[in-house]
């Protein structure tokens, strides 16, 4: 079974997933990493791991959907069963979401539905939260709002500053994202409305 990872940035989540595949914890292959940024470190990590690394330049396309169609052509070539968004900073078109419904995962650095958007860690810290966390969810038609697969809390201590909190949150991300992917690959996730049921083995 083939997985594709979409990433725009550092790719530390991608790396955690690569490591979990290499350890045999996820019984699937990452066949493809797609980025909308030519300088994404994620592309280097992919190449280093022997994974096809694809840069798709958004400027080459007149609409979001055209960009997504190009991405889909890569996914279809590899028969990809799961699309993993790992710091992918582009919204997907309804065309793409429909086509891969309940087969696109995202990770968000807060306990959704709190602190949606691009600065979930800082926003939780600024708000004075005592607890934040990480959410892995399926993508649906609304931003950061799809059915929740896994969540894990992270305590915010008085001594924390945004950078220390970020470190804690990332540590948890690197743990639960591979876990969620493993559950999907084992066929143990069932989406019933807003709820994701995790079947026991
Ligand atoms: C993570 O914090 C993730 O929650 C968010 O984007 C960040 C990606 O980090 N969606 P990395 O590129 O995997 O290091």
């Amino acid at each position: 079974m083939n997985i594709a990872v979409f990433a725009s940035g550092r790719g530390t989540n991608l790396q955690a997933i690569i490591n979990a595949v290499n350890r045999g914890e996820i019984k699937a292959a990452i066949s493809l990493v797609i980025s909308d940024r030519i300088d994404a470190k994620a592309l280097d990590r992919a190449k280093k791991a022997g994974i096809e690394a694809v840069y798709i330049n958004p400027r080459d396309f007149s609409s979001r959907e055209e960009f997504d169609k190009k991405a889909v052509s890569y996914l279809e070539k590899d028969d990809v069963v799961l699309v993993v968004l790992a710091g992918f900073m582009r919204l997907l078109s309804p065309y793409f979401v429909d086509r891969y419904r309940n087969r696109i995962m995202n990770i968000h650095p807060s306990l959704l539905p709190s602190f949606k958007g691009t600065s979930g860690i800082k926003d939780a810290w600024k708000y004075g939260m005592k607890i934040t966390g990480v959410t892995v969810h399926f993508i649906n038609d609304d931003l950061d709002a799809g059915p929740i697969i896994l969540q894990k809390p992270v305590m915010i201590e008085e001594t924390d500053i945004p950078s220390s909190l970020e470190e804690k949150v990332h540590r948890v991300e690197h743990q639960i994202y591979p876990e969620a992917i493993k559950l999907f690959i084992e066929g143990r996730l069932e989406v019933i409305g807003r709820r994701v049921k995790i079947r026991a083995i």
Side-chain angles (χ1 to χ4, degrees):
M1 269 193 276
N2 282 336
I3 298 171
V5 178
F6 287 19
S8 305
R10 292 180 312 165
T12 64
N13 280 284
L14 166 66
Q15 192 63 56
I17 298 161
I18 292 173
N19 296 346
V21 168
N22 288 345
R23 286 195 301 267
E25 285 164 20
I26 298 171
K27 296 204 174 5
I30 305 168
S31 68
L32 194 62
V33 170
I34 292 181
S35 184
D36 59 334
R37 300 222 20 193
I38 196 162
D39 57 349
K41 196 145 181 268
L43 289 175
D44 299 330
R45 292 182 192 270
K47 284 180 213 149
K48 216 180 223 168
I51 298 166
E52 185 183 5
V54 177
Y55 163 58
I56 305 179
N57 185 350
R59 293 212 181 113
D60 289 346
F61 303 90
S62 56
S63 68
R64 209 170 279 292
E65 185 166 322
E66 291 307 312
F67 177 99
D68 287 357
K69 279 188 175 152
K70 181 74 185 175
V72 165
S73 71
Y74 282 100
L75 301 180
E76 286 183 341
K77 162 180 82 66
D78 284 359
D79 251 332
V80 163
V81 296
L82 175 67
V83 175
V84 174
L85 306 182
F88 189 60
M89 300 309 282
R90 265 179 83 77
L91 289 176
L92 297 169
S93 62
Y95 157 81
F96 191 98
V97 174
D98 253 354
R99 207 173 172 99
Y100 285 88
R101 193 161 295 273
N102 297 337
R103 294 190 291 150
I104 315 166
M105 273 185 195
N106 184 43
I107 190 155
H108 185 81
S110 76
L111 292 176
L112 290 174
S114 289
F115 306 108
K116 295 179 178 183
T118 54
S119 50
I121 300 173
K122 222 185 214 157
D123 291 347
W125 182 82
K126 272 197 197 150
Y127 197 88
M129 297 296 288
K130 306 282 185 189
I131 303 174
T132 185
V134 175
T135 303
V136 180
H137 64 95
F138 284 117
I139 291 289
N140 69 0
D141 306 311
D142 302 309
L143 183 68
D144 295 334
I148 292 168
I149 302 164
L150 293 177
Q151 285 187 307
K152 193 161 179 175
V154 171
M155 303 304 291
I156 304 179
E157 310 295 339
E158 283 179 13
T159 49
D160 271 321
I161 54 174
S163 61
S164 63
L165 180 58
E166 194 177 329
E167 230 170 82
K168 286 191 203 171
V169 168
H170 283 317
R171 223 173 299 137
V172 172
E173 287 186 342
H174 300 159
Q175 184 198 335
I176 73 167
Y177 215 1
E179 217 173 292
I181 295 166
K182 176 180 154 74
L183 289 169
F184 180 96
I185 293 298
E186 291 174 352
R188 293 171 58 195
L189 299 180
E190 190 187 351
V191 183
I192 307 163
R194 276 218 55 81
R195 245 162 255 283
V196 180
K197 213 166 133 187
I198 301 176
R199 269 193 290 260
I201 306 176

PDB file of all heavy atoms in Angstrom, residues 54-71:
ATOM      1  N   VAL A  54       8.586  15.453  -5.240  1.00  0.00           N
ATOM      2  CA  VAL A  54       7.994  16.215  -6.336  1.00  0.00           C
ATOM      3  C   VAL A  54       7.689  17.637  -5.890  1.00  0.00           C
ATOM      4  O   VAL A  54       6.988  17.843  -4.888  1.00  0.00           O
ATOM      5  CB  VAL A  54       6.678  15.547  -6.799  1.00  0.00           C
ATOM      6  CG1 VAL A  54       6.021  16.373  -7.903  1.00  0.00           C
ATOM      7  CG2 VAL A  54       6.923  14.126  -7.260  1.00  0.00           C
ATOM      8  N   TYR A  55       8.194  18.592  -6.641  1.00  0.00           N
ATOM      9  CA  TYR A  55       7.833  19.991  -6.402  1.00  0.00           C
ATOM     10  C   TYR A  55       6.817  20.394  -7.457  1.00  0.00           C
ATOM     11  O   TYR A  55       7.070  20.252  -8.663  1.00  0.00           O
ATOM     12  CB  TYR A  55       9.080  20.876  -6.486  1.00  0.00           C
ATOM     13  CG  TYR A  55       8.784  22.341  -6.647  1.00  0.00           C
ATOM     14  CD1 TYR A  55       8.003  23.020  -5.706  1.00  0.00           C
ATOM     15  CD2 TYR A  55       9.266  23.056  -7.745  1.00  0.00           C
ATOM     16  CE1 TYR A  55       7.708  24.380  -5.869  1.00  0.00           C
ATOM     17  CE2 TYR A  55       8.989  24.409  -7.905  1.00  0.00           C
ATOM     18  CZ  TYR A  55       8.205  25.060  -6.967  1.00  0.00           C
ATOM     19  OH  TYR A  55       7.913  26.384  -7.118  1.00  0.00           O
ATOM     20  N   ILE A  56       5.675  20.872  -7.005  1.00  0.00           N
ATOM     21  CA  ILE A  56       4.680  21.400  -7.948  1.00  0.00           C
ATOM     22  C   ILE A  56       4.582  22.900  -7.690  1.00  0.00           C
ATOM     23  O   ILE A  56       4.265  23.320  -6.570  1.00  0.00           O
ATOM     24  CB  ILE A  56       3.303  20.723  -7.779  1.00  0.00           C
ATOM     25  CG1 ILE A  56       3.424  19.192  -7.901  1.00  0.00           C
ATOM     26  CG2 ILE A  56       2.323  21.251  -8.825  1.00  0.00           C
ATOM     27  CD1 ILE A  56       2.106  18.438  -7.720  1.00  0.00           C
ATOM     28  N   ASN A  57       4.895  23.681  -8.714  1.00  0.00           N
ATOM     29  CA  ASN A  57       4.906  25.138  -8.564  1.00  0.00           C
ATOM     30  C   ASN A  57       3.484  25.698  -8.726  1.00  0.00           C
ATOM     31  O   ASN A  57       2.917  25.625  -9.816  1.00  0.00           O
ATOM     32  CB  ASN A  57       5.843  25.727  -9.633  1.00  0.00           C
ATOM     33  CG  ASN A  57       5.996  27.228  -9.470  1.00  0.00           C
ATOM     34  OD1 ASN A  57       5.267  27.854  -8.688  1.00  0.00           O
ATOM     35  ND2 ASN A  57       6.936  27.791 -10.197  1.00  0.00           N
ATOM     36  N   PRO A  58       2.924  26.264  -7.652  1.00  0.00           N
ATOM     37  CA  PRO A  58       1.552  26.787  -7.732  1.00  0.00           C
ATOM     38  C   PRO A  58       1.390  27.819  -8.846  1.00  0.00           C
ATOM     39  O   PRO A  58       0.316  27.952  -9.424  1.00  0.00           O
ATOM     40  CB  PRO A  58       1.343  27.445  -6.362  1.00  0.00           C
ATOM     41  CG  PRO A  58       2.321  26.786  -5.469  1.00  0.00           C
ATOM     42  CD  PRO A  58       3.502  26.448  -6.320  1.00  0.00           C
ATOM     43  N   ARG A  59       2.464  28.520  -9.177  1.00  0.00           N
ATOM     44  CA  ARG A  59       2.377  29.573 -10.203  1.00  0.00           C
ATOM     45  C   ARG A  59       2.123  29.016 -11.604  1.00  0.00           C
ATOM     46  O   ARG A  59       1.757  29.748 -12.505  1.00  0.00           O
ATOM     47  CB  ARG A  59       3.675  30.387 -10.224  1.00  0.00           C
ATOM     48  CG  ARG A  59       3.849  31.178  -8.956  1.00  0.00           C
ATOM     49  CD  ARG A  59       4.597  32.484  -9.231  1.00  0.00           C
ATOM     50  NE  ARG A  59       4.770  33.210  -8.001  1.00  0.00           N
ATOM     51  CZ  ARG A  59       5.948  33.423  -7.422  1.00  0.00           C
ATOM     52  NH1 ARG A  59       7.048  32.984  -7.992  1.00  0.00           N
ATOM     53  NH2 ARG A  59       6.014  34.086  -6.291  1.00  0.00           N
ATOM     54  N   ASP A  60       2.346  27.712 -11.767  1.00  0.00           N
ATOM     55  CA  ASP A  60       2.121  27.103 -13.082  1.00  0.00           C
ATOM     56  C   ASP A  60       0.647  26.808 -13.342  1.00  0.00           C
ATOM     57  O   ASP A  60       0.309  26.301 -14.410  1.00  0.00           O
ATOM     58  CB  ASP A  60       2.901  25.776 -13.198  1.00  0.00           C
ATOM     59  CG  ASP A  60       4.394  26.023 -13.289  1.00  0.00           C
ATOM     60  OD1 ASP A  60       4.782  27.187 -13.532  1.00  0.00           O
ATOM     61  OD2 ASP A  60       5.165  25.067 -13.098  1.00  0.00           O
ATOM     62  N   PHE A  61      -0.202  27.084 -12.366  1.00  0.00           N
ATOM     63  CA  PHE A  61      -1.612  26.693 -12.500  1.00  0.00           C
ATOM     64  C   PHE A  61      -2.525  27.892 -12.263  1.00  0.00           C
ATOM     65  O   PHE A  61      -2.247  28.734 -11.413  1.00  0.00           O
ATOM     66  CB  PHE A  61      -1.938  25.559 -11.514  1.00  0.00           C
ATOM     67  CG  PHE A  61      -1.043  24.380 -11.709  1.00  0.00           C
ATOM     68  CD1 PHE A  61       0.155  24.279 -11.005  1.00  0.00           C
ATOM     69  CD2 PHE A  61      -1.352  23.404 -12.642  1.00  0.00           C
ATOM     70  CE1 PHE A  61       1.015  23.213 -11.206  1.00  0.00           C
ATOM     71  CE2 PHE A  61      -0.493  22.337 -12.859  1.00  0.00           C
ATOM     72  CZ  PHE A  61       0.694  22.232 -12.141  1.00  0.00           C
ATOM     73  N   SER A  62      -3.623  27.911 -13.006  1.00  0.00           N
ATOM     74  CA  SER A  62      -4.506  29.082 -12.942  1.00  0.00           C
ATOM     75  C   SER A  62      -5.471  28.992 -11.762  1.00  0.00           C
ATOM     76  O   SER A  62      -6.070  29.986 -11.377  1.00  0.00           O
ATOM     77  CB  SER A  62      -5.286  29.215 -14.242  1.00  0.00           C
ATOM     78  OG  SER A  62      -5.990  28.009 -14.462  1.00  0.00           O
ATOM     79  N   SER A  63      -5.629  27.815 -11.176  1.00  0.00           N
ATOM     80  CA  SER A  63      -6.554  27.689 -10.044  1.00  0.00           C
ATOM     81  C   SER A  63      -6.057  26.603  -9.097  1.00  0.00           C
ATOM     82  O   SER A  63      -5.181  25.802  -9.435  1.00  0.00           O
ATOM     83  CB  SER A  63      -7.952  27.324 -10.537  1.00  0.00           C
ATOM     84  OG  SER A  63      -7.923  26.009 -11.060  1.00  0.00           O
ATOM     85  N   ARG A  64      -6.664  26.602  -7.908  1.00  0.00           N
ATOM     86  CA  ARG A  64      -6.367  25.591  -6.906  1.00  0.00           C
ATOM     87  C   ARG A  64      -6.647  24.192  -7.461  1.00  0.00           C
ATOM     88  O   ARG A  64      -5.901  23.252  -7.252  1.00  0.00           O
ATOM     89  CB  ARG A  64      -7.273  25.866  -5.699  1.00  0.00           C
ATOM     90  CG  ARG A  64      -6.736  25.443  -4.378  1.00  0.00           C
ATOM     91  CD  ARG A  64      -7.592  25.973  -3.268  1.00  0.00           C
ATOM     92  NE  ARG A  64      -7.289  27.351  -2.939  1.00  0.00           N
ATOM     93  CZ  ARG A  64      -6.163  27.779  -2.373  1.00  0.00           C
ATOM     94  NH1 ARG A  64      -5.212  26.921  -2.063  1.00  0.00           N
ATOM     95  NH2 ARG A  64      -5.975  29.043  -2.108  1.00  0.00           N
ATOM     96  N   GLU A  65      -7.764  24.108  -8.173  1.00  0.00           N
ATOM     97  CA  GLU A  65      -8.171  22.804  -8.707  1.00  0.00           C
ATOM     98  C   GLU A  65      -7.163  22.272  -9.740  1.00  0.00           C
ATOM     99  O   GLU A  65      -6.863  21.078  -9.757  1.00  0.00           O
ATOM    100  CB  GLU A  65      -9.569  22.923  -9.321  1.00  0.00           C
ATOM    101  CG  GLU A  65     -10.090  21.584  -9.777  1.00  0.00           C
ATOM    102  CD  GLU A  65     -11.582  21.596 -10.065  1.00  0.00           C
ATOM    103  OE1 GLU A  65     -12.337  22.263  -9.328  1.00  0.00           O
ATOM    104  OE2 GLU A  65     -11.979  20.923 -11.026  1.00  0.00           O
ATOM    105  N   GLU A  66      -6.632  23.174 -10.564  1.00  0.00           N
ATOM    106  CA  GLU A  66      -5.654  22.730 -11.571  1.00  0.00           C
ATOM    107  C   GLU A  66      -4.388  22.197 -10.885  1.00  0.00           C
ATOM    108  O   GLU A  66      -3.816  21.192 -11.294  1.00  0.00           O
ATOM    109  CB  GLU A  66      -5.293  23.885 -12.522  1.00  0.00           C
ATOM    110  CG  GLU A  66      -6.416  24.318 -13.440  1.00  0.00           C
ATOM    111  CD  GLU A  66      -7.011  23.155 -14.228  1.00  0.00           C
ATOM    112  OE1 GLU A  66      -6.234  22.367 -14.811  1.00  0.00           O
ATOM    113  OE2 GLU A  66      -8.254  23.014 -14.250  1.00  0.00           O
ATOM    114  N   PHE A  67      -3.957  22.901  -9.829  1.00  0.00           N
ATOM    115  CA  PHE A  67      -2.805  22.424  -9.052  1.00  0.00           C
ATOM    116  C   PHE A  67      -3.119  21.026  -8.510  1.00  0.00           C
ATOM    117  O   PHE A  67      -2.311  20.093  -8.617  1.00  0.00           O
ATOM    118  CB  PHE A  67      -2.529  23.392  -7.891  1.00  0.00           C
ATOM    119  CG  PHE A  67      -1.407  22.971  -6.969  1.00  0.00           C
ATOM    120  CD1 PHE A  67      -0.135  23.505  -7.103  1.00  0.00           C
ATOM    121  CD2 PHE A  67      -1.630  22.042  -5.946  1.00  0.00           C
ATOM    122  CE1 PHE A  67       0.903  23.113  -6.250  1.00  0.00           C
ATOM    123  CE2 PHE A  67      -0.605  21.650  -5.093  1.00  0.00           C
ATOM    124  CZ  PHE A  67       0.670  22.195  -5.240  1.00  0.00           C
ATOM    125  N   ASP A  68      -4.309  20.895  -7.938  1.00  0.00           N
ATOM    126  CA  ASP A  68      -4.684  19.628  -7.309  1.00  0.00           C
ATOM    127  C   ASP A  68      -4.779  18.498  -8.335  1.00  0.00           C
ATOM    128  O   ASP A  68      -4.465  17.339  -8.027  1.00  0.00           O
ATOM    129  CB  ASP A  68      -6.010  19.784  -6.563  1.00  0.00           C
ATOM    130  CG  ASP A  68      -5.838  20.601  -5.280  1.00  0.00           C
ATOM    131  OD1 ASP A  68      -4.690  20.982  -4.964  1.00  0.00           O
ATOM    132  OD2 ASP A  68      -6.850  20.849  -4.586  1.00  0.00           O
ATOM    133  N   LYS A  69      -5.213  18.844  -9.549  1.00  0.00           N
ATOM    134  CA  LYS A  69      -5.310  17.813 -10.604  1.00  0.00           C
ATOM    135  C   LYS A  69      -3.924  17.260 -10.924  1.00  0.00           C
ATOM    136  O   LYS A  69      -3.755  16.070 -11.166  1.00  0.00           O
ATOM    137  CB  LYS A  69      -5.958  18.391 -11.866  1.00  0.00           C
ATOM    138  CG  LYS A  69      -7.468  18.422 -11.732  1.00  0.00           C
ATOM    139  CD  LYS A  69      -8.141  18.801 -13.039  1.00  0.00           C
ATOM    140  CE  LYS A  69      -9.658  18.673 -12.845  1.00  0.00           C
ATOM    141  NZ  LYS A  69     -10.400  19.594 -13.715  1.00  0.00           N
ATOM    142  N   LYS A  70      -2.957  18.147 -10.913  1.00  0.00           N
ATOM    143  CA  LYS A  70      -1.573  17.718 -11.165  1.00  0.00           C
ATOM    144  C   LYS A  70      -1.140  16.749 -10.037  1.00  0.00           C
ATOM    145  O   LYS A  70      -0.565  15.694 -10.308  1.00  0.00           O
ATOM    146  CB  LYS A  70      -0.656  18.952 -11.182  1.00  0.00           C
ATOM    147  CG  LYS A  70       0.776  18.645 -11.459  1.00  0.00           C
ATOM    148  CD  LYS A  70       0.962  18.317 -12.927  1.00  0.00           C
ATOM    149  CE  LYS A  70       2.380  17.886 -13.229  1.00  0.00           C
ATOM    150  NZ  LYS A  70       2.533  17.457 -14.613  1.00  0.00           N
ATOM    151  N   ALA A  71      -1.463  17.133  -8.804  1.00  0.00           N
ATOM    152  CA  ALA A  71      -1.104  16.273  -7.663  1.00  0.00           C
ATOM    153  C   ALA A  71      -1.789  14.913  -7.803  1.00  0.00           C
ATOM    154  O   ALA A  71      -1.161  13.864  -7.602  1.00  0.00           O
ATOM    155  CB  ALA A  71      -1.500  16.956  -6.349  1.00  0.00           C
TER     156      ALA A  71
END
